[in-house]
């Protein structure tokens, strides 16, 4: 009861007792005073009990029955709801962050000052073999590698290391340590297997181009030096100039194929308006006659072409595909070996097949023969000729036409190269 209420109650009780004494009805006035005091204190007790019952579940809206505790209960209820809303917002943000972090392909591990794990995402399980149950354990005891220990100890100001994944030794990981504060660190792990492969391919490509160009350049320079160094008669000079033609043409073919590959890789896939209706049977027959100049050792080309079977495509690109596959079959077929070519309807597609009678390709080479400069038999490529880029061009052109080159081959049994294109009626 508030002080003002207590004073008012005291005044009323004293007044009643004085009136009873003055009028000679002390008994009645005393009884009335006791009743007033009881009612006043009973009401306070009722309000307290109602408040205690509400306080057991303070998230309920307070009722008017709380009496003088009504305002206090309402203020407490509003404060609890505000704090609950804030906590719910932070909880939702934490859940969203966790869900988002699980979608990140890179692994991250939060570490404390002692390098014990505080949190991990899903990729940490795949790349490093860590689990949520590892929280609280030291990272060095779970992922053991000398480079990681150097990274955690900050030796030589090292903050990036590369090593094989503990879950798959074919996967290469780049591990980076980021220090957030004195008592918190983040360890990031990224799969760099594909990046390393691309870098290796780039280095191999540069090395191969340099090697392919060096040989004809060496020949050219040798002949040019002989021309400058001697007083040659016209016949000898003409003979030397004729010999310069082969290495020069080889360099030209190599540069042309490199430019073609670069254009194919840099250009977007052709739109419908870029395509034209192509009668492939007629095109293949023309290419067969064009490639006949490459035939040697009595090669026999057999054509089985379904007429009026057309596709939509880029004419010069498909011409390059057919020509590369023809010349490839001719180069690698032995003396007198037959070459069978088919163009036929297959369900909703048109299929091109060319089968040679060469030595065949071992299974481990088939997936790589469309790589630039890849040679199944490197020791024999100068005899066979070619730039080593033909099948790479075929792969990129077919990809731009929503197709892919497929190969069936076995050592000693020849090879069949084929692909499908959507036919156009």
């Amino acid at each position: 009861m508030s002080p003002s209420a207590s004073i008012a109650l005291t005044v009323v009780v004293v007044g009643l007792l004085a009136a009873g004494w003055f009028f000679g009805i002390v008994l009645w006035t005393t009884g009335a005073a006791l009743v007033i005091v009881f009612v006043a204190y009973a009401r306070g007790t009722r309000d307290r009990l109602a408040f205690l019952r509400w306080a057991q579940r303070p998230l309920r809206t307070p009722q008017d029955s709380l009496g003088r505790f009504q305002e206090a209960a309402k203020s407490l209820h509003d404060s609890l709801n505000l704090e609950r809303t804030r906590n719910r917002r932070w909880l939702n943000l934490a859940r969203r962050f966790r869900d988002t972090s699980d979608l990140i392909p890179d692994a991250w591990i939060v570490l404390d000052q002692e390098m014990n794990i505080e949190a991990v995402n899903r990729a940490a399980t795949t790349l490093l073999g860590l689990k949520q149950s590892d929280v609280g354990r030291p990272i060095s005891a779970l992922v053991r590698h000398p480079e990681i220990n150097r990274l955690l100890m900050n030796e030589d100001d090292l903050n990036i290391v590369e090593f094989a994944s503990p879950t798959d030794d074919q996967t290469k990981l780049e591990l980076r340590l980021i220090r957030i504060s004195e008592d918190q660190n983040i360890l990031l792990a990224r799969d760099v297997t594909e990046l390393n492969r691309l870098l290796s391919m780039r280095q191999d490509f540069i090395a191969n181009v340099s090697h392919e160009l060096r040989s004809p350049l060496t020949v050219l320079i040798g002949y040019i030096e002989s021309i400058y160094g001697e007083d040659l008669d016209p016949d000898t000079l003409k003979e030397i100039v004729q010999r310069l033609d082969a290495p020069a043409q080889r360099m030209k073919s190599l540069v042309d194929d490199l430019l073609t590959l670069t254009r194919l890789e840099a250009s977007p896939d052709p739109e419908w308006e870029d395509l034209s209706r192509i009668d492939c049977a007629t095109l293949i027959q023309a290419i067969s006659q064009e490639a006949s100049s490459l035939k040697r050792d009595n090669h026999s080309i057999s054509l089985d072409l379904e007429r009026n079977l057309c596709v939509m495509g880029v004419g010069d690109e498909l011409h390059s595909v057919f020509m590369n596959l023809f010349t490839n079959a001719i180069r690698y077929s032995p003396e007198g070996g037959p070459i069978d070519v088919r163009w036929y309807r297959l369900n909703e597609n048109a299929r091109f097949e060319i089968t040679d009678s060469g030595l065949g390709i071992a299974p481990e080479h088939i997936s790589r023969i469309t790589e630039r400069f890849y040679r199944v038999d490197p020791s024999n490529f100068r005899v066979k000729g070619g730039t080593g880029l033909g099948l790479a061009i075929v792969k990129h052109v077919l990809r731009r036409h929503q197709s892919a080159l497929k190969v069936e081959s076995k050592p000693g049994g020849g090879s069949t190269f084929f692909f499908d294109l959507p036919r156009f009626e």
Side-chain angles (χ1 to χ4, degrees):
M1 184 178 295
S2 64
S4 59
S6 298
I7 293 172
L9 180 61
T10 301
V11 171
V12 170
V13 170
V14 171
L16 283 173
L17 292 176
W21 178 80
F22 182 79
F23 291 106
I25 52 174
V26 176
L27 181 63
W28 289 102
T29 54
T30 301
L34 289 175
V35 169
I36 291 173
V37 172
F38 176 79
V39 169
Y41 280 96
R43 183 181 178 185
T45 302
R46 184 192 63 189
D47 291 348
R48 289 191 196 93
L49 291 176
F51 179 79
L52 290 174
R53 284 194 298 269
W54 171 83
Q56 293 176 359
R57 296 175 63 189
L59 296 179
R60 295 178 300 167
T61 303
Q63 303 299 320
D64 295 337
S65 61
L66 296 181
R68 60 195 180 92
F69 294 105
Q70 176 71 26
E71 290 301 323
K74 185 177 184 304
S75 177
L76 181 59
H77 176 266
D78 292 343
S79 297
L80 288 174
N81 275 336
L82 180 60
E83 191 65 25
R84 188 185 186 196
T85 300
R86 289 174 179 171
N87 290 340
R88 186 176 296 166
R89 187 181 300 118
W90 283 111
L91 183 60
N92 289 336
L93 287 174
R95 287 174 177 170
R96 190 178 303 171
F97 175 76
R98 182 195 62 192
D99 294 341
T100 302
S101 68
D102 283 340
L103 297 176
I104 298 175
D106 297 341
W108 58 261
I109 305 98
V110 180
L111 304 172
D112 62 15
Q113 186 177 9
E114 304 298 328
M115 297 302 174
N116 297 319
I117 299 174
E118 291 187 343
V120 298
N121 69 339
R122 186 176 299 168
T125 300
T126 305
L127 298 180
L128 296 169
L130 300 176
K131 304 180 290 295
Q132 291 293 336
S133 58
D134 292 327
V135 171
R137 302 178 63 186
I139 183 68
S140 58
L142 299 171
V143 184
R144 299 178 181 274
H145 196 279
E147 292 296 324
I148 296 180
N149 292 332
R150 292 181 59 211
L151 180 65
L152 298 178
M153 296 299 294
N154 197 26
E155 295 184 8
D156 305 322
D157 294 327
L158 192 69
N159 66 344
I160 299 178
V161 297
E162 187 173 316
F163 67 103
S165 169
T167 61
D168 180 8
D169 57 5
Q170 299 300 315
T171 301
K172 300 299 180 183
L173 301 181
E174 178 189 88
L175 212 61
R176 181 189 300 264
L177 182 65
I178 302 175
R179 301 191 181 277
I180 305 300
S181 62
E182 291 184 0
D183 59 351
Q184 195 167 60
N185 306 276
I186 293 182
L187 196 62
L188 296 178
R190 173 174 297 178
D191 185 350
V192 293
T193 308
E194 184 65 15
L195 177 61
N196 287 350
R197 188 185 71 84
L198 293 175
L199 289 175
S200 178
M201 287 178 60
R202 178 183 178 183
Q203 293 171 351
D204 291 344
F205 172 72
I206 295 174
N208 286 328
V209 170
S210 302
H211 180 74
E212 295 287 341
L213 289 173
R214 184 184 295 114
S215 297
L217 275 174
T218 300
V219 175
L220 287 172
I221 292 172
Y223 280 119
I224 291 172
E225 287 177 347
S226 66
I227 293 175
Y228 279 120
E230 299 180 15
D231 186 13
L232 303 176
D233 61 85
D235 291 337
T236 303
L237 186 61
K238 182 178 180 180
E239 181 182 354
I240 291 177
V241 171
Q242 290 175 343
R243 291 182 179 180
L244 292 176
D245 182 67
Q249 290 298 328
R250 176 169 176 76
M251 291 176 62
K252 180 180 182 301
S253 297
L254 181 60
V255 172
D256 288 344
D257 283 351
L258 285 172
L259 291 175
T260 299
L261 267 177
T262 302
R263 178 180 59 81
L264 291 172
E265 291 178 339
S267 302
D269 290 347
E271 301 291 341
W272 179 258
E273 56 268 19
D274 300 324
L275 307 179
S276 57
R277 185 175 181 271
I278 300 175
D279 182 357
C280 288
T282 302
L283 177 61
I284 293 169
Q285 188 167 20
I287 289 175
S288 175
Q289 296 173 356
E290 185 179 349
S292 62
S293 60
L294 297 174
K295 289 195 300 181
R296 62 184 188 277
D297 301 331
N298 301 317
H299 288 116
S300 174
I301 299 179
S302 172
L303 300 179
D304 180 9
L305 309 176
E306 184 173 338
R307 298 294 174 176
N308 300 318
L309 180 56
C310 301
V311 300
M312 295 295 292
V314 181
D316 58 346
E317 292 185 8
L318 290 181
H319 180 281
S320 176
V321 168
F322 293 130
M323 176 59 76
N324 275 300
L325 292 178
F326 262 94
T327 55
N328 193 67
I330 291 172
R331 285 193 182 101
Y332 290 95
S333 289
E335 179 180 358
I339 297 172
D340 299 322
V341 179
R342 295 184 64 200
W343 174 252
Y344 60 97
R345 187 187 309 263
L346 182 66
N347 299 323
E348 298 299 320
N349 297 322
R351 171 167 289 187
F352 174 79
E353 286 182 3
I354 183 166
T355 302
D356 62 46
S357 52
L359 298 177
I361 306 170
E364 63 268 21
H365 296 294
I366 289 180
S367 63
R368 301 192 60 190
I369 58 175
T370 56
E371 294 180 10
R372 300 176 180 186
F373 300 113
Y374 186 80
R375 308 279 187 174
V376 175
D377 183 7
S379 63
N380 200 29
F381 80 94
R382 297 199 184 279
V383 178
K384 300 298 182 182
T387 63
L389 298 172
L391 292 183
I393 292 174
V394 170
K395 178 184 73 173
H396 283 84
V397 170
L398 292 180
R399 181 180 295 170
R400 288 166 52 82
H401 287 75
Q402 285 71 54
S403 185
L405 181 66
K406 298 179 181 178
V407 184
E408 292 179 352
S409 182
K410 59 181 180 179
S415 304
T416 297
F417 293 78
F418 63 95
F419 61 87
D420 297 332
L421 294 171
R423 57 188 176 89
F424 181 76
E425 301 295 345

